[in-house]
Amino acid sequence: MATFLYKIGRMSFRRRHFVALIWVALLTLAGVGAASAPAAGNSSFSIPGTEAQKAFDLLEQRFPGTSADGATARVVFKAPSGEKMTDPGNKATVRETVKELSDGSEVVRVTDPYRAKAVSKDGTVAYAQVSYKVSGMELEDSSRDALEDTAQDARKAGLTVEIGGDALQTVPHTGTTEIIGIAVAAVVLVITFGSLVAAGLPLLTALVGVGIGVSAITALASALDLGSTTSTLAMMIGLAVGIDYALFIVSRYRAELAEGRDREEAAGRAVGTAGSAVVFAGLTVVIALVGLSVVNIPMLTKMGVAAAGTVAIAVLIALTMIPALLGYAGRRVKPAGEKGKLLGRSKKQERPAKPNLGTRWASFVVRRPVAVLLLGVIGLGAAAVPAASLELGLPDDGSQPTSTTQRRAYDLLSEGFGPGFNGPLMVVVDAKDSDDPKAAFTQVGDEIKGFKDVVTVTPPAPNKAGDTATITVVPGSKPSSVATEDLVHSIRDKGAGIKADSDANVLVTGQTAMNIDVSEKLNDALIPYLVLVVGLAFLLLIVVFRSILVPLKAALGFLLSVMAALGAVVAVFQWGWLADLMGVEQTGPVMSMMPIFMVGVVFGLAMDYEVFLVTRMREAYVHGETAGQAVVTGFRHGARVVTAAAVIMMAVFAGFIGSSESMVKMIGFGLAIAVFFDAFIVRMALVPAVLALLGRKAWWLPKWLDRALPNVDVEGEGLRSDTDRGDQDRELVRA
């Protein structure tokens, strides 16, 4: 592995014009594809194998033309103070609004509030429901504009009018904090390298990689049904790993220059050593992201695969474009120990007698491993305590900022009709095999009326064939409550008994039931996902480190950091700690996808730091140092760069906290805090403490397994030889 990558590094350095041309061509091609591709909105959502999805599919078959998955909008009206919606003037305004809404080309139907009895008991609130032929992602802008313009006309007549539902879905924006995150990364790189040129290389290559990845996702978004969130998350992860991978190779290149090697040889050795760590670190991230497909939720699978593709591009760019750009930079990238004119001196500084901070810290940990280990574990355990109160759910209009019309419509409906009105359940009764379908429909409605948390049950609405009916159930509690979840399970449990009596199938669906099914499916998939991803990465790390205990320690440290990060997410987004600082206007359940997505991404990133830091220790140990000395040597060479990489990654992720999309905001915060816990507590404190306690045992591997494993030579042993070897290799590559 090291020898192969060494040759790639030298070839890219020498043939830099060709390499740069290839990447510029790929970026141009992806950009043209993105510019010419049709725009895509939010991805369609389906959950194969769940009862809610089966019911939706059944409705498509038995109620053709009703667009069961079409977009909906609730136009909510509130009368001025002292008036009622039944007053003649207000009634005329509402009916004129309903008439205007019905004229849309994509509108299937609009309900009249007075005919549908959609007026609150006190007469102050009413609503009209608009159903569209197409889903929210396919709805044309003209239809959204017509909806908002019609509502504005009603406001001019004196009514308060707000719009809820998925018809007004918009593409999320990340805000200026994303730019701030990149700016912080630039500052950290300048401080780390002491040179604008050296600092600019990782930023440039990361932007090229993300540009190719996100442009490719945009170009394929319409064809593959990729939502806007997919490209946002790919950008988030691609930027972070792209900067970090390039950072490690540039840092190793400067170290090789400091040892007296010429620039081409230094580029080859940097790619051969640090590049090997990049490859395996990238593999762990890709495994973690692609492994999200085991959950069998198409949207999550697409997000994972798209982000994994961006990571793969970041790895390839680090291995080829970085050495090419180093060739262009020439003497403007200084050897380690030299400062550019930016920070004062251009001549090589004398080596300081005082060891660097990484050396001093590692020496301290090696002397007091038990105290550091206990302190780190107790601290992470305390941060993880809120995770015991984790509640999962999917965001609805109730989680929107109070400044949005969707949230105001949600609040008006809760005020006029009760909290459960925003999350009605749709019960589908399939009586095709029943001898008396009408009796089965009536029985289901009567049974549901007897449940504790039910406010309203509409009469059954059968299809033309008379073999299937829908019943709308309004719960007494809000959609994200435990009481509503219990009601869904109670109806489904009762449906089993009804099937035995009448051969009629009872299915519960609707957005609320769909959210409940998603949460349960994600919970059920978490353990198999952990086993798959951690298992595969464990095997990969055994090959990299040729050790059993080092990969085991890496996995256990990851579990500590991810639990602490989940605790922090619960504290902020569920309990409301520091909510104002994070821009969280509405606390509530943590997004259902958050735990499993965080596990996937954080595991991959945690293994990045493990590989980068511990391969330096492994390299020192292989070349004759004691286990304790190897820990200190690893920190002497790697602590500064790993620290810079972690700060950069945190800055990039934190930049997405400014997103208008609650899902992106939560993931940005969760990943930023997880990187902090994993890099600065687990990898920088617990890892050296455990390795110091284990000593030589840390690198133990059974002889039979040592013989069976392939020798990937991550530490670059094949590159350690006399100076003539470099000259011979140079001639071979030129030939």
Side-chain angles (χ1 to χ4, degrees):
M1 170 71 79
T3 304
F4 174 71
L5 293 177
Y6 165 80
K7 293 179 179 179
I8 287 179
R10 294 190 60 173
M11 182 192 70
S12 299
F13 184 94
R14 183 180 300 109
R15 300 180 181 177
R16 45 189 172 273
H17 303 308
F18 177 69
V19 172
L21 182 62
I22 288 178
W23 285 113
V24 170
L26 288 174
L27 179 61
T28 304
L29 183 64
V32 170
S36 58
N42 290 288
S43 177
S44 59
F45 195 79
S46 63
I47 326 168
T50 61
E51 180 171 317
Q53 188 63 48
K54 290 176 183 175
F56 268 123
D57 296 340
L58 183 66
L59 288 172
E60 288 289 341
Q61 296 174 11
R62 304 287 175 84
F63 291 82
T66 58
S67 301
D69 62 345
T72 59
R74 277 180 171 177
V75 182
V76 188
F77 306 89
K78 184 176 181 180
S81 179
E83 299 182 19
K84 292 190 175 182
M85 291 305 305
T86 51
D87 293 346
N90 294 335
K91 205 170 186 178
T93 300
V94 171
R95 284 190 162 154
E96 180 62 28
T97 301
V98 169
K99 182 181 178 182
E100 290 181 20
L101 289 171
S102 302
D103 294 337
S105 60
E106 294 182 307
V107 174
V108 175
R109 61 184 173 277
V110 182
T111 60
D112 185 321
Y114 304 102
R115 293 181 181 176
K117 299 180 180 180
V119 181
S120 63
K121 289 182 180 179
D122 62 4
T124 60
V125 179
Y127 74 91
Q129 180 150 317
V130 186
S131 300
Y132 292 90
K133 299 176 184 177
V134 296
S135 63
M137 67 168 292
E138 299 170 317
L139 200 63
E140 293 181 0
D141 289 339
S142 58
S143 295
R144 293 191 181 93
D145 293 340
L147 180 63
E148 293 176 322
D149 292 344
T150 304
Q152 186 60 36
D153 292 340
R155 291 188 187 105
K156 292 177 181 178
L159 297 177
T160 298
V161 186
E162 305 295 347
I163 306 170
D166 59 355
L168 291 184
Q169 288 176 333
T170 57
V171 176
H173 63 271
T174 54
T176 57
T177 50
E178 178 189 347
I179 306 301
I180 295 173
I182 296 176
V184 170
V187 171
V188 173
L189 287 169
V190 170
I191 294 173
T192 302
F193 292 135
S195 163
L196 283 176
V197 175
L201 295 183
L203 281 176
L204 176 61
T205 54
L207 291 173
V208 170
V210 167
I212 293 172
V214 172
S215 296
I217 291 170
T218 304
L220 299 172
S222 180
L224 300 181
D225 191 20
L226 304 176
S228 56
T229 303
T230 303
S231 59
T232 303
L233 295 176
M235 181 191 303
M236 181 192 303
I237 297 169
L239 269 177
V241 300
I243 293 173
D244 279 6
Y245 294 166
L247 167 65
F248 280 99
I249 291 180
V250 173
S251 177
R252 187 59 183 254
Y253 171 77
R254 296 177 72 234
E256 295 292 339
L257 288 179
E259 292 183 9
R261 295 188 173 87
D262 66 61
R263 295 186 177 274
E264 183 179 327
E265 178 70 10
R269 286 179 177 270
V271 175
T273 51
S276 297
V278 165
V279 169
F280 283 100
L283 273 176
T284 58
V285 180
V286 169
I287 288 172
L289 291 170
V290 174
L292 291 169
S293 59
V294 303
V295 183
N296 196 26
I297 294 180
M299 186 182 81
L300 193 59
T301 300
K302 292 171 185 176
M303 286 165 55
V305 172
T310 307
V311 171
I313 292 171
V315 171
L316 293 174
I317 282 183
L319 298 178
T320 57
M321 192 174 182
I322 281 291
L325 293 180
L326 289 172
Y328 283 119
R331 296 184 180 279
R332 287 186 290 273
V333 176
K334 307 293 182 183
E338 284 192 38
K339 299 288 186 181
K341 293 181 180 179
L342 179 67
L343 294 184
R345 283 176 286 182
S346 59
K347 294 182 179 180
K348 190 171 182 178
Q349 300 172 353
E350 294 182 3
R351 291 185 178 274
K354 188 177 180 181
N356 64 20
L357 182 60
T359 302
R360 297 198 301 274
W361 169 250
S363 299
F364 169 79
V365 175
V366 168
R367 288 196 304 271
R368 297 176 178 83
V370 175
V372 172
L373 183 61
L374 288 176
L375 187 62
V377 171
I378 292 171
L380 289 175
V385 168
S389 303
L390 178 66
E391 295 177 10
L392 298 178
L394 284 179
D396 55 21
D397 285 347
S399 63
Q400 296 271 6
T402 52
S403 58
T404 62
T405 185
Q406 294 97 321
R407 172 61 188 278
R408 291 195 293 265
Y410 181 98
D411 292 340
L412 283 177
L413 289 172
S414 295
E415 174 189 330
F417 300 93
F421 198 78
N422 283 292
L425 307 176
M426 180 180 288
V427 178
V428 181
V429 186
D430 178 9
K432 190 174 185 179
D433 298 329
S434 176
D435 296 332
D436 190 351
K438 289 185 179 180
F441 301 155
T442 303
Q443 180 187 357
V444 172
D446 292 341
E447 293 279 4
I448 294 174
K449 288 177 184 177
F451 285 116
K452 178 181 176 183
D453 198 47
V454 171
V455 174
T456 305
V457 179
T458 64
N463 62 351
K464 289 183 180 180
D467 59 5
T468 308
T470 60
I471 301 172
T472 301
V473 180
V474 178
S477 304
K478 63 181 183 179
S480 58
S481 67
V482 175
T484 300
E485 183 178 347
D486 292 340
L487 176 61
V488 170
H489 290 305
S490 297
I491 296 173
R492 287 173 173 173
D493 292 341
K494 180 63 70 174
I498 293 173
K499 180 173 176 59
D501 295 339
S502 61
D503 290 327
N505 281 324
V506 179
L507 304 172
V508 184
T509 189
Q511 191 61 50
T512 301
M514 185 78 80
N515 291 352
I516 292 170
D517 287 349
V518 169
S519 298
E520 292 179 350
K521 187 160 188 173
L522 288 166
N523 281 337
D524 294 342
L526 185 57
I527 299 302
Y529 175 70
L530 270 173
V531 171
L532 172 68
V533 172
V534 176
L536 287 175
F538 181 78
L539 295 175
L540 186 65
L541 292 178
I542 289 177
V543 174
V544 174
F545 296 128
R546 309 197 77 78
S547 164
I548 298 292
L549 296 179
V550 171
L552 180 61
K553 173 258 318 163
L556 293 176
F558 151 73
L559 292 176
L560 275 174
S561 59
V562 80
M563 288 304 297
L566 276 177
V569 169
V570 170
V572 173
F573 291 89
Q574 189 174 308
W575 292 359
W577 294 5
L578 302 177
D580 292 339
L581 181 64
M582 297 296 164
V584 179
E585 295 191 29
Q586 179 68 31
T587 60
V590 173
M591 185 187 61
S592 299
M593 293 184 185
M594 185 65 191
I596 199 163
F597 192 83
M598 179 182 281
V599 164
V601 177
V602 173
F603 183 79
L605 300 181
M607 294 308 103
D608 278 3
Y609 299 119
E610 182 75 14
V611 170
F612 288 132
L613 195 58
V614 181
T615 46
R616 271 290 196 172
M617 300 178 191
R618 169 74 183 171
E619 186 176 340
Y621 181 77
V622 165
H623 294 109
E625 293 188 10
T626 65
Q629 290 172 336
V631 171
V632 177
T633 299
F635 269 76
R636 182 170 68 250
H637 292 294
R640 178 185 175 91
V641 181
V642 168
T643 299
V647 172
I648 289 168
M649 210 172 260
M650 288 168 57
V652 172
F653 288 147
F656 288 84
I657 296 175
S659 173
S660 62
E661 179 72 31
S662 59
M663 175 177 173
V664 176
K665 180 190 292 286
M666 190 179 293
I667 288 178
F669 171 80
L671 293 182
I673 198 71
V675 168
F676 172 78
F677 287 143
D678 195 85
F680 292 105
I681 299 180
V682 174
R683 308 302 153 189
M684 303 292 280
L686 300 187
V687 165
V690 171
L691 290 178
L693 288 171
L694 291 174
R696 293 176 58 87
K697 296 177 183 177
W699 307 107
W700 171 79
L701 187 69
K703 291 183 179 179
W704 63 268
L705 185 57
D706 188 33
R707 291 191 297 268
L709 291 177
N711 183 14
V712 295
D713 189 22
V714 175
E715 56 275 353
E717 177 64 24
L719 303 179
R720 296 271 177 171
S721 58
D722 56 28
T723 54
D724 292 337
R725 170 69 182 275
D727 296 333
Q728 293 170 2
D729 283 346
R730 185 181 296 108
E731 294 302 321
L732 286 173
V733 174
R734 286 175 177 170

